[in-house]
């Protein structure tokens, strides 16, 4: 790519906005995942009794099983949420910018 | 060996060799050989990633852990899953947009080629070899047990098949072996789960009740795995960010046409892997009730035979044969992916990048890769046989620790921090590699269990909390102490390619 072309993309407000947005969204999603997982770990370390409680008085299923399976399902849904964001925000902007600079 | 097992086993080998023959004609150029011509769709790649990641160890090992330790097995599998969202958010798109064949391409994108490529190749090869040892030893034992083939012969068969797939069929054959394996493994585990649940009126609660009656309430609640929170966090870091630093996994992102498909493949992979871990939870518990704890423990250390034993209890020798063939396919898919990643590190990173400074003809590069494949295959067979009766429990932990401490910090800083310099990257990678190796040696798994010393010098089971943090800190400090205007300038240029994919291959 030529230098001027590169600079014009870098100076483009829409590109700068995109870069800022992506960083913000990606950081938020990462932090959510870290918080969920490490809360689970801390719960295992400090809340064993709570996780060992059955979900009802006659049940064998414990809260821990629900929470554990919940973390797995949540992780997957979170990747789905990111896809949804990227498809509706990231991709259209990328397409627009690439058309604008004919690349 | 049951005729059904032999039948499935031979059918799988015939189909995969057929695919290799077909793929060989489409694996002439370097892009075809390393990246399947970037022709794999997001969905296919999601399956292949799942096939690359779910090793026989996770199928047999986690089901076994659930059977013998109960809830703690689930905790382990969650650790293996949570790295995937992180890969999606932080790495999938930039990797695809910036790299060519290996993650080292991305680290070296704006830094000095030679030192970065040498260290990244070292990190890759260390992870690949350790992982290969674990796979070869585990699979030799498994094949010996279910097929009744002698251990050494089993290792040689596996090694030879994997060399054939990778040598002739490159990434395309490897991908399809992984896809077939993933479909087989997911359907095998699904059948086992539905079958098990059908005996409990399709009520998980009824299954858990039966587990409570046979094994005790302890099986349904967290046990000893997370007693020390620092240990738990350290293990969590290694599993989460180790996954994000595994060279054979990162390599898969170059097989898709663009960043959008790369992102999509993680979505599918996470779904498949998470679904699979939920199944192993049911399978492990099913084994406790339907096979019995005593029998599981008496055959195979750590309950590794829980899933095959459950298969036999459910559907007799025929179903056991099917599950055994699935486990065999699983092993082959993982070792093929590892070998290809190791060979690309040797050839693309070390030979072309570091020795030839990026200037080499494509023919030459592929030739070197093929030699590297052969070499790695032979090394894997030799190490598989050499480590036959060794205690290798620490090996996978070390591989994840190195991946999390050597590969991941350098990768993430190089794509997201402008001031990151070559000197910083070199210092960070050396710190991560050296610290994770030393701390594993000083920890209980090696220092006490293997070397026979009375007490460990390093108190935690996993070094990641120290080695990964140190790799980041050293990388940041050394970068701040050095100046590399060229790298900063290229960071700006990189941004255009990273976000828009302009100029991406």
């Amino acid at each position: 790519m030529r230098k001027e072309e590169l600079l014009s993309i870098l100076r483009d407000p829409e590109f700068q906005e995109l870069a800022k947005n992506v960083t913000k969204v990606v950081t938020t999603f990462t932090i959510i995942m870290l918080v969920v997982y490490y809360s689970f770990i801390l719960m295992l370390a400090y809340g064993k009794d709570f996780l060992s409680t059955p979900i009802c008085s006659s049940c064998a299923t414990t809260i821990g099983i629900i929470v554990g399976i919940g973390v797995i399902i949540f992780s997957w849904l979170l990747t789905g949420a990111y896809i949804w964001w990227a498809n509706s925000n990231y991709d259209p902007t990328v397409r627009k910018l690439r058309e604008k600079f004919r690349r | 060996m049951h005729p059904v097992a032999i039948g499935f086993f031979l059918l799988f080998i015939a189909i995969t060799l057929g695919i290799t023959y077909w793929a060989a004609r489409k694996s002439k150029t370097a892009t075809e050989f390393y990246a399947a011509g970037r022709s794999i769709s997001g969905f296919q790649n999601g399956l292949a990633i799942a096939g690359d990641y779910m090793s026989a160890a996770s199928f047999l090992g986690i089901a076994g852990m659930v059977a013998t330790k109960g809830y703690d097995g689930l905790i382990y599998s969650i650790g293996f899953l949570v790295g995937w969202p992180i890969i999606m958010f932080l790495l999938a798109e930039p990797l695809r947009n910036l790299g060519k064949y290996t993650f080292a391409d991305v680290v070296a994108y704006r830094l000095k080629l030679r030192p970065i490529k040498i260290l990244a190749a070292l990190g890759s090869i260390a992870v690949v070899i350790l992982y290969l040892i674990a796979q070869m030893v585990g699979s030799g034992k498994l094949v010996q047990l279910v097929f009744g083939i002698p251990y050494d012969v089993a290792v040689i068969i596996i090694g030879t098949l994997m060399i054939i797939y990778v040598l002739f069929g490159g990434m395309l054959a490897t991908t399809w072996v992984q896809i077939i394996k993933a479909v087989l493994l997911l359907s095998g585990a699904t059948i086992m789960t539905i079958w098990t649940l059908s005996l409990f009126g399709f009520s998980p609660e009824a299954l858990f009740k039966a587990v409570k009656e046979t094994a005790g309430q302890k099986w349904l609640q967290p046990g000893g795995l997370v007693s020390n929170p620092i240990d738990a966090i350290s293990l969590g870091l290694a599993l989460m960010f180790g996954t994000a630093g595994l060279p054979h996994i990162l390599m898969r992102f170059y097989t898709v046409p663009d960043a959008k498909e790369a992102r999509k493949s993680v979505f599918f992979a996470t779904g498949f892997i998470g679904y699979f871990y939920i199944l192993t939870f049911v399978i492990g518990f099913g084994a406790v009730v339907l096979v019995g704890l005593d029998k599981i423990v008496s055959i195979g250390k750590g309950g590794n035979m829980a899933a095959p034993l459950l298969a036999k209890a459910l559907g007799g020798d025929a179903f056991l044969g099917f599950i055994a063939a699935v486990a065999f396919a699983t092993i082959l898919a993982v070792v093929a992916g590892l070998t290809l990643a190791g060979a690309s590190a040797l050839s693309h990173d070390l030979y072309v990048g570091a020795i030839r400074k990026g200037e080499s003809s494509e023919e030459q590069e592929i030739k070197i890769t093929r030699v590297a494949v052969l070499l790695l295959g032979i090394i894997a067979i030799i190490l598989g046989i050499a480590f036959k009766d060794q205690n290798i429990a620490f090996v996978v932990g070390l591989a994840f620790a190195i991946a999390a401490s050597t590969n991941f910090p350098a990768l993430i800083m190089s794509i997201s921090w402008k001031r990151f310099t070559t000197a910083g990257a070199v210092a960070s990678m050396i710190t991560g590699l050296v610290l994770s190796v030393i701390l594993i040696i000083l920890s209980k798994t090696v220092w006490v269990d293997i070397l026979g010393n009375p007490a460990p010098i390093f108190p935690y089971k996993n070094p990641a909390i120290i080695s990964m943090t140190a790799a980041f800190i050293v990388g940041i400090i050394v970068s701040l102490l050095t100046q590399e205007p060229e790298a900063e300038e290229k960071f700006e240029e990189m941004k255009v390619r990273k976000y828009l994919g302009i100029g991406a291959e």
Side-chain angles (χ1 to χ4, degrees):
Chain A
M1 205 185 313
R2 281 175 302 121
K3 191 102 191 161
E4 311 88 78
E5 200 183 354
L6 189 73
L7 284 176
S8 68
I9 297 179
L10 282 170
R11 282 201 204 105
D12 187 275
E14 226 172 336
F15 176 76
Q16 289 171 352
E17 179 75 17
L18 173 81
K20 220 168 68 193
N21 268 340
V22 171
T23 311
K24 209 166 67 193
V25 170
V26 158
T27 314
T28 313
F29 271 96
T30 305
I31 290 173
I32 293 175
M33 193 62 233
L34 291 174
V35 167
V36 167
Y37 180 55
Y38 287 101
S39 310
F40 176 63
I41 295 282
L42 290 178
M43 243 158 106
L44 288 168
Y46 297 109
K48 243 175 217 158
D49 294 341
F50 169 70
L51 291 177
S52 307
T53 320
I55 50 169
C56 69
S57 55
S58 62
C59 292
T61 312
T62 56
I63 293 177
I65 293 177
I66 305 293
V67 172
I69 306 260
V71 172
I72 293 183
I73 295 172
F74 178 82
S75 308
W76 182 58
L77 292 179
L78 199 64
T79 61
Y82 178 76
I83 292 262
W84 177 78
W85 173 81
N87 284 347
S88 50
N89 293 290
Y90 192 177
D91 290 350
T93 319
V94 169
R95 224 173 296 131
K96 216 165 100 192
L97 279 165
R98 288 184 71 142
E99 254 163 50
K100 190 163 160 186
F101 294 99
R102 296 177 183 283
R103 294 296 299 216
Chain B
M1 191 164 44
H2 195 270
V4 174
I6 302 175
F8 276 118
F9 177 80
L10 293 178
L11 184 70
F12 176 76
I13 292 178
I15 291 174
T16 48
L17 286 179
I19 287 173
T20 307
Y21 179 75
W22 161 78
R25 286 178 297 169
K26 296 182 165 212
S27 301
K28 301 272 189 271
T29 66
T31 310
E32 286 169 342
F33 191 85
Y34 290 126
R38 319 218 192 269
S39 63
I40 308 294
S41 76
F43 178 76
Q44 290 167 342
N45 196 36
L47 268 176
I49 289 175
D52 206 1
Y53 191 62
M54 300 181 298
S55 57
S58 55
F59 177 41
L60 304 175
I62 291 186
M65 209 168 155
V66 172
T68 53
K69 294 203 168 89
Y71 188 80
D72 283 2
L74 181 66
I75 301 176
Y76 231 90
S77 59
I78 291 171
F80 278 115
L81 184 77
V82 289
W84 285 101
I86 302 292
I87 291 185
M88 178 180 229
F89 308 146
L90 298 180
L91 296 177
E93 293 153 351
L95 263 178
R96 179 61 192 85
N97 277 343
L98 296 173
K100 204 170 173 189
Y101 307 129
T102 63
F103 84 90
D105 290 336
V106 180
V107 187
Y109 187 85
R110 65 193 180 94
L111 303 176
K112 296 207 176 69
L113 192 65
R114 206 173 222 175
I116 299 294
K117 283 275 186 168
I118 292 175
L119 277 167
L122 216 63
S124 300
I125 292 161
V127 172
V128 164
I129 298 259
L130 288 166
Y131 224 107
L132 265 179
I133 293 176
Q135 294 297 321
M136 292 306 265
V137 173
S139 54
K141 291 201 172 129
L142 173 79
V143 175
Q144 181 183 22
L145 213 55
V146 285
F147 292 101
I149 305 170
Y151 177 92
D152 296 359
V153 179
V155 167
I156 292 170
I157 292 178
I158 292 164
T160 312
L161 278 170
M162 123 192 144
I163 291 172
I164 295 174
Y165 295 152
V166 182
L167 193 63
F168 299 109
M171 183 53 110
L172 192 59
T174 304
T175 302
W176 281 100
V177 170
Q178 286 168 347
I179 291 176
I180 293 173
K181 164 266 176 90
V183 171
L184 278 174
L185 186 60
L186 289 168
S187 38
T190 304
I191 295 170
M192 263 172 103
T193 302
I194 294 177
W195 202 330
T196 302
L197 284 176
S198 75
L199 302 176
F200 295 90
F202 291 101
S203 152
E205 165 68 20
L207 172 65
F208 296 148
K209 244 188 196 119
V211 170
K212 193 175 165 180
E213 277 154 23
T214 26
Q217 172 68 27
K218 265 173 43 192
W219 256 245
L220 302 170
Q221 60 194 49
L225 184 67
V226 184
S227 41
N228 177 339
I230 296 188
D231 231 345
I233 289 176
S234 195
L235 176 71
L237 284 175
L239 294 181
M240 199 175 211
F241 298 105
T243 302
L246 294 175
H248 62 296
I249 295 292
L250 299 178
M251 196 179 179
R252 289 230 51 90
F253 291 105
Y254 300 114
T255 63
V256 291
D258 54 28
K260 188 184 167 84
E261 293 297 311
R263 173 206 303 154
K264 230 161 85 184
S265 43
V266 189
F267 172 69
F268 288 117
T270 313
F272 290 132
I273 297 168
Y275 169 70
F276 175 73
Y277 283 142
I278 293 175
L279 298 184
T280 53
F281 190 56
V282 176
I283 291 170
F285 275 168
V288 172
V289 179
L290 300 172
V291 179
L293 212 51
D294 299 335
K295 196 170 170 195
I296 296 172
V297 180
S298 69
I299 306 173
K301 217 174 71 193
N304 268 338
M305 292 306 285
L309 285 170
L310 175 63
K312 194 172 176 181
L314 289 171
D317 281 331
F319 192 50
L320 170 66
F322 173 67
I323 292 298
V326 168
F328 182 76
T330 290
I331 295 159
L332 274 174
V334 176
V335 291
L338 283 166
T339 307
L340 188 58
S344 66
L346 280 171
S347 158
H348 180 67
D349 294 336
L350 211 54
Y351 174 74
V352 179
I355 297 173
R356 303 294 299 264
K357 289 190 192 162
E359 278 159 36
S360 164
S361 76
E362 203 167 278
E363 281 153 34
Q364 186 69 8
E365 180 167 357
I366 293 183
K367 219 163 104 190
I368 300 280
T369 312
R370 294 216 153 109
V371 175
V373 169
L374 204 59
L375 196 75
L376 274 171
I378 293 167
I379 290 176
I381 293 173
I382 293 172
L383 290 178
I385 292 170
F387 281 88
K388 181 178 177 179
D389 294 312
Q390 305 295 315
N391 180 349
I392 55 152
F394 69 97
V395 166
V396 170
L398 179 57
F400 270 84
I402 292 178
S405 320
T406 312
N407 304 346
F408 178 73
L411 183 56
I412 196 75
M413 285 194 277
S414 74
I415 57 174
S416 52
W417 187 38
K418 191 175 176 179
R419 279 285 281 116
F420 197 47
T421 64
T422 303
V426 167
S428 165
M429 286 193 276
I430 292 177
T431 307
L433 187 60
V434 171
L435 265 186
S436 31
V437 173
I438 290 178
L439 293 180
I440 283 268
I441 294 174
L442 297 180
S443 74
K444 185 178 168 290
T445 29
V446 177
W447 195 251
V448 179
D449 298 350
I450 295 177
L451 298 175
N453 292 298
I457 296 175
F458 180 67
Y460 307 117
K461 277 185 225 133
N462 202 292
I465 197 165
I466 306 288
S467 55
M468 186 178 134
T469 314
F472 270 112
I473 293 175
V474 169
I476 291 169
I477 292 176
V478 175
S479 293
L480 290 176
L481 291 176
T482 47
Q483 295 282 342
E484 201 173 336
E486 209 180 303
E488 283 187 45
E489 200 179 306
K490 265 189 138 179
F491 183 80
E492 293 298 318
E493 180 198 322
M494 183 180 86
K495 261 164 70 180
V496 173
R497 183 155 157 181
K498 176 180 159 189
Y499 293 118
L500 302 183
I502 292 175
E505 304 212 15

